[in-house]
Amino acid sequence: MQIKKLNILFIGLLSISTIYAQDISDAVRYSQSEIQGTARFRALSGAFGALGGDMSAVSANPAGSAVFSQSHASFTGSNIDLDNNTGYFNGATINNTSNFDINQGGVAFVFVNRNANSPWKKFTLGIAYDRTNNFDDVWNAIGTNTNNFVLVDNNDNELVPVNSIANYFYQYADGVRLGDISLLDDEFVEDAYADIGNAFGFAHQQAFLGYQAYILDPDIDDDNNTTYNTSNNVVGGTFNHDYLYTSTGYNGKISFNLAAQYDDNLYIGINLNSHFIDYQRSTSLQEDNSNGGLINFIDFDNNLSTTGNGFSFQLGGIMKLSPEFRVGLTYDSPTWYSIEEETTQFIDTNEADADLDFIGGIVNVYPRYRLQTPAKVTGSLAYVFAKKGLISFDYSKKDYGKTKFNPEADFTDLNNAISDVLTDASTYRFGAEYKHQQFSFRGGYRFEESPYTDGITVGDLTGYSLGLGYNFGNTKLDVTYDKWERTDETPLYNVGLTDTATIDRENSNITLSLSFNI
């Protein structure tokens, strides 16, 4: 058993690629953005790429600030309400999350060029904050898993039922030396858990948990054994699952904007964006069975805390082809994130030693890693009916398969899986506005394709919006109601217990904005 600690340094250096615990869902989470921003922007479902003249439009197309005729500021708050209807085998649950946040604020300063001979009519400098994604989410999968299938080896020996969390621990343990996941003489279980994490990483820790909780048995009681089974402990049959997923946090960005108007018809701009991530997630699985094995109850909890920061830039232009017709083009660069993560875990079974509880106090701090999200290109059209109203359309395309974790040598397998599992996705946004005296009536529709090749892990999104604005003169007050729906087929775990819960999501928002000229 002493081999584990004698080799801790050398094996730790050789096994750095197994230290990380990221997966494809992380790539999708930080690559997607929601329609946040001002009430007017949301009322047109974000179809503002050829319009400008709105602080959130500046976040979408940096040329939009040059459309302002004078300096402008706005602030926005939103109430977000998320309903999740979850189906898992014979069970169905409903969960609701609701919160209010200040999700937008910004100001653009307009400097008019007094030189009448210059084609450059004005310049703008701006700074804006936008919450680009909200991570508050709760869903609960409860049901009896009847996928009664058992893995067997070449000698027809039963190894593990695939519809149990036991398969999660088995998949991580298969090929791992027993000596590397065993306690040394007089070693505390929490010390062993921490040492194994530092030396070998996440995968070995999962094998350790399964072995120490008596879920797994080695085929041979020898340090060099690398094969395991659960034939006496967790036997095949049906399993009752109660899985709870809870997350909080958000993505946000601060944009530093520079734009200009050239002649009477061309607007160009650039945004330099500072991004930040604050994300916490907790999952809890309680599994019980009456299949006759040694283990009839397993409780497995995981907690994740993620913080990060990043940088991106945007280039955009708007051109008036006629007094009524406008076109826009925006390039969003990849976002280059630097991310840190911490995790804690807890496991219990009806046969586990009480000392196993102490691992819940061990915090795993993972090496900082980098994430590069895909670039996006947006083309926009708008038709303005003098001062009576407008219609607009935005089309965007993003290839999620180009998301990359770095250092690339440490994430080769994951990056290859991303290329296979994720794909390019299009987004279509339509908006319209009609003005009558001081009132503005608005509406919008959007459709976003799934970033997954299968189209179901995260489903297509459809949404609509309705808004009302009132112009007091230099001050405007806007309110919007918007809603989107999508259906996800989410696996409980990415390894082992991969049966999915079907989640019908409905997100409703009420947004209020105050904007004014300076």
Side-chain angles (χ1 to χ4, degrees):
M1 297 289 184
Q2 300 295 327
I3 295 175
K4 180 178 68 177
K5 289 203 172 178
L6 291 175
N7 290 343
I8 190 170
L9 175 62
F10 301 104
I11 299 176
L13 292 174
L14 292 172
S15 305
I16 189 169
S17 64
T18 67
I19 289 177
Y20 300 90
Q22 288 68 46
D23 57 44
I24 294 175
S25 65
D26 297 314
V28 174
R29 181 183 311 111
Y30 304 128
S31 297
Q32 289 188 310
S33 59
E34 251 299 329
I35 292 183
Q36 301 279 331
T38 67
R40 185 175 181 229
F41 183 80
R42 298 181 77 146
L44 272 68
S45 291
F48 255 92
L51 292 174
D54 181 277
M55 286 309 304
S56 289
V58 175
S59 181
N61 183 340
S65 64
V67 177
F68 287 123
S69 59
Q70 61 188 101
S71 299
H72 184 85
S74 66
F75 302 93
T76 302
S78 291
N79 186 77
I80 302 170
D81 192 82
L82 177 63
D83 289 322
N84 289 326
N85 292 271
T86 305
Y88 182 73
F89 290 92
N90 62 333
T93 58
I94 299 175
N95 299 96
N96 174 268
T97 305
S98 183
N99 61 73
F100 177 84
D101 285 304
I102 302 299
N103 65 293
Q104 182 275 333
V107 59
F109 298 98
V110 178
F111 302 93
V112 177
N113 189 355
R114 302 304 180 185
N115 183 357
N117 296 322
S118 173
W120 296 98
K121 302 300 183 181
K122 60 177 178 279
F123 300 88
T124 60
L125 292 174
I127 182 170
Y129 162 76
D130 279 281
R131 177 168 291 197
T132 57
N133 215 336
N134 176 57
F135 296 138
D136 292 357
D137 193 12
V138 177
W139 56 273
N140 192 194
I142 300 175
T144 301
N145 192 316
T146 56
N147 276 348
N148 190 1
F149 180 77
V150 178
L151 292 177
V152 296
D153 62 18
N154 292 331
N155 297 316
D156 294 331
N157 296 312
E158 290 193 359
L159 297 176
V160 59
V162 300
N163 58 334
S164 166
I165 189 61
N167 192 32
Y168 169 94
F169 299 106
Y170 169 79
Q171 295 296 333
Y172 280 114
D174 190 34
V176 171
R177 291 182 66 257
L178 178 61
D180 295 334
I181 58 172
S182 301
L183 293 173
L184 302 176
D185 293 339
D186 300 321
E187 185 178 26
F188 291 115
V189 67
E190 63 270 29
D191 293 335
Y193 174 79
D195 287 346
I196 290 170
N198 291 330
F200 303 105
F202 177 82
H204 276 63
Q205 281 183 320
Q206 309 317 294
F208 172 81
L209 294 178
Y211 177 57
Q212 296 299 328
Y214 296 96
I215 296 171
L216 302 176
D217 278 335
D219 287 351
I220 302 173
D221 190 13
D222 180 270
D223 281 354
N224 292 317
N225 174 80
T226 59
T227 57
Y228 302 83
N229 68 82
T230 68
S231 56
N232 295 318
N233 301 351
V234 182
V235 300
T238 60
F239 294 86
N240 299 314
H241 289 149
D242 186 344
Y243 178 91
L244 179 64
Y245 175 105
T246 305
S247 65
T248 60
Y250 60 94
N251 259 19
K253 74 173 181 179
I254 297 175
S255 300
F256 300 91
N257 171 258
L258 173 64
Q261 179 184 347
Y262 183 84
D263 210 352
D264 293 326
N265 301 319
L266 179 64
Y267 307 86
I268 56 174
I270 182 173
N271 284 344
L272 302 179
N273 304 313
S274 177
H275 299 258
F276 43 92
I277 295 170
D278 181 11
Y279 174 69
Q280 292 82 40
R281 182 185 70 216
S282 297
T283 64
S284 173
L285 175 71
Q286 293 184 351
E287 175 183 288
D288 62 79
N289 73 87
S290 55
N291 301 328
L294 180 68
I295 302 296
N296 55 51
F297 174 79
I298 300 173
D299 185 359
F300 183 42
D301 300 343
N302 287 269
N303 300 295
L304 169 69
S305 176
T306 303
T307 57
N309 54 74
F311 171 80
S312 71
F313 66 88
Q314 295 164 282
L315 301 173
I318 298 173
M319 177 173 284
K320 290 183 179 179
L321 300 181
S322 71
E324 299 83 15
F325 190 49
R326 304 177 183 184
V327 297
L329 182 66
T330 309
Y331 171 77
D332 290 70
S333 78
T335 301
W336 295 276
Y337 282 112
S338 177
I339 298 175
E340 292 183 319
E341 293 185 338
E342 296 180 357
T343 65
T344 59
Q345 295 187 293
F346 168 83
I347 191 168
D348 187 27
T349 70
N350 55 290
E351 292 292 330
D353 192 291
D355 289 344
L356 203 56
D357 290 351
F358 289 111
I359 66 162
I362 303 298
V363 178
N364 300 300
V365 180
Y366 293 96
R368 179 183 291 267
Y369 67 92
R370 300 187 303 277
L371 176 66
Q372 178 181 318
T373 68
K376 181 176 71 173
V377 176
T378 303
S380 308
L381 302 172
Y383 193 90
V384 180
F385 300 93
K387 295 183 179 181
K388 284 295 184 181
L390 59 89
I391 56 174
S392 60
F393 168 70
D394 281 10
Y395 170 78
S396 302
K397 196 172 186 66
K398 181 186 288 190
D399 188 352
Y400 290 89
K402 292 185 177 179
T403 307
K404 297 294 181 185
F405 286 91
N406 289 297
E408 194 162 353
D410 297 337
F411 292 99
T412 301
D413 291 341
L414 180 55
N415 287 335
N416 289 338
I418 288 172
S419 298
D420 294 334
V421 174
L422 301 183
T423 186
D424 56 90
S426 297
T427 297
Y428 307 84
R429 298 176 180 177
F430 300 87
E433 180 180 60
Y434 173 73
K435 296 182 179 180
H436 177 70
Q437 297 179 352
Q438 284 80 28
F439 289 95
S440 295
F441 304 91
R442 306 172 181 127
Y445 170 82
R446 60 173 167 142
F447 176 80
E448 298 180 11
E449 293 179 339
S450 168
Y452 280 81
T453 303
D454 64 16
I456 60 173
T457 303
V458 172
D460 296 336
L461 179 149
T462 57
Y464 65 87
S465 51
L466 295 170
L468 177 67
Y470 188 86
N471 189 344
F472 293 93
N474 278 333
T475 303
K476 297 178 181 179
L477 186 65
D478 300 298
V479 62
T480 291
Y481 171 81
D482 67 277
K483 180 178 181 178
W484 59 255
E485 299 176 348
R486 79 184 330 155
T487 298
D488 300 341
E489 297 279 351
T490 302
L492 301 193
Y493 296 89
N494 292 308
V495 174
L497 182 55
T498 57
D499 292 295
T500 61
T502 301
I503 310 172
D504 293 325
R505 302 182 182 272
E506 291 187 0
N507 181 290
S508 302
N509 306 277
I510 297 176
T511 303
L512 183 68
S513 291
L514 179 67
S515 60
F516 48 90
N517 295 323
I518 301 174

Coordinates of all heavy atoms in Angstrom, one line a residue, residues 12 24 65 89 180 227 288 328 360 387 393 400 443 446 500:
G12 N 1.7 12.2 -10.2 CA 1.0 13.4 -10.3 C 1.4 14.2 -11.5 O 0.6 14.8 -12.2
I24 N -18.6 18.6 -21.5 CA -19.2 19.4 -22.6 C -20.2 20.4 -22.1 O -20.3 21.5 -22.7 CB -19.8 18.4 -23.6 CG1 -18.7 17.6 -24.3 CG2 -20.6 19.2 -24.7 CD1 -19.1 16.5 -25.2
S65 N -24.0 53.0 -31.0 CA -23.9 54.2 -30.2 C -23.8 55.4 -31.0 O -24.2 56.5 -30.6 CB -22.7 54.1 -29.2 OG -21.5 54.1 -29.9
F89 N -38.7 8.6 -16.1 CA -39.4 7.3 -16.1 C -40.8 7.5 -15.6 O -41.5 8.2 -16.3 CB -38.6 6.4 -15.2 CG -37.3 5.9 -15.8 CD1 -36.1 6.6 -15.6 CD2 -37.3 4.9 -16.7 CE1 -34.9 6.2 -16.2 CE2 -36.1 4.5 -17.3 CZ -34.9 5.1 -17.1
D180 N -3.9 2.4 -5.4 CA -3.9 3.8 -5.5 C -5.2 4.4 -4.9 O -5.3 5.6 -4.8 CB -3.8 4.2 -7.0 CG -2.4 3.9 -7.6 OD1 -1.5 3.8 -6.8 OD2 -2.3 3.7 -8.8
T227 N -9.4 -4.4 -12.0 CA -10.8 -4.7 -12.4 C -11.7 -4.8 -11.2 O -11.3 -5.3 -10.1 CB -10.8 -6.0 -13.3 OG1 -10.2 -7.1 -12.5 CG2 -10.0 -5.8 -14.5
D288 N -32.2 4.2 -3.9 CA -32.5 3.0 -3.1 C -33.1 1.9 -3.9 O -33.6 2.1 -5.0 CB -33.4 3.3 -1.9 CG -34.8 3.8 -2.4 OD1 -35.6 3.0 -2.7 OD2 -35.0 5.0 -2.4
G328 N -26.9 46.0 -41.2 CA -25.9 45.9 -40.2 C -25.1 44.6 -40.3 O -25.6 43.6 -40.7
G360 N -16.6 15.3 3.2 CA -17.4 16.4 2.8 C -16.8 17.8 3.2 O -17.2 18.8 2.6
K387 N -41.1 58.4 -38.7 CA -41.2 58.4 -37.2 C -42.3 57.6 -36.7 O -42.7 57.7 -35.5 CB -41.3 59.8 -36.7 CG -40.1 60.7 -37.0 CD -40.2 62.1 -36.4 CE -39.0 62.9 -36.7 NZ -39.1 64.3 -36.2
F393 N -34.8 42.6 -38.5 CA -34.4 41.1 -38.5 C -32.9 41.0 -38.3 O -32.1 41.7 -38.9 CB -34.8 40.6 -39.9 CG -34.3 39.2 -40.1 CD1 -34.8 38.1 -39.4 CD2 -33.3 39.0 -41.0 CE1 -34.3 36.8 -39.6 CE2 -32.8 37.7 -41.3 CZ -33.3 36.6 -40.6
Y400 N -20.5 26.0 -32.3 CA -20.2 25.5 -30.9 C -19.1 24.4 -30.9 O -18.4 24.2 -29.9 CB -21.4 25.1 -30.2 CG -22.4 26.2 -29.8 CD1 -23.4 26.6 -30.7 CD2 -22.2 26.9 -28.6 CE1 -24.2 27.6 -30.4 CE2 -23.1 27.9 -28.3 CZ -24.1 28.3 -29.2 OH -24.9 29.3 -28.9
G443 N -43.1 44.4 -30.4 CA -43.3 43.0 -30.3 C -42.1 42.3 -31.0 O -41.4 42.9 -31.8
R446 N -38.2 35.1 -31.7 CA -36.9 34.5 -31.9 C -36.9 33.0 -31.9 O -37.8 32.4 -31.3 CB -35.9 35.0 -30.9 CG -36.2 34.6 -29.5 CD -35.1 35.0 -28.6 NE -35.4 34.9 -27.2 CZ -34.6 34.5 -26.2 NH1 -33.4 34.1 -26.5 NH2 -35.0 34.5 -24.9
T500 N -31.5 10.0 -19.0 CA -31.9 11.4 -19.1 C -33.2 11.7 -18.4 O -34.1 10.9 -18.4 CB -31.9 11.8 -20.6 OG1 -33.0 11.1 -21.2 CG2 -30.6 11.6 -21.3

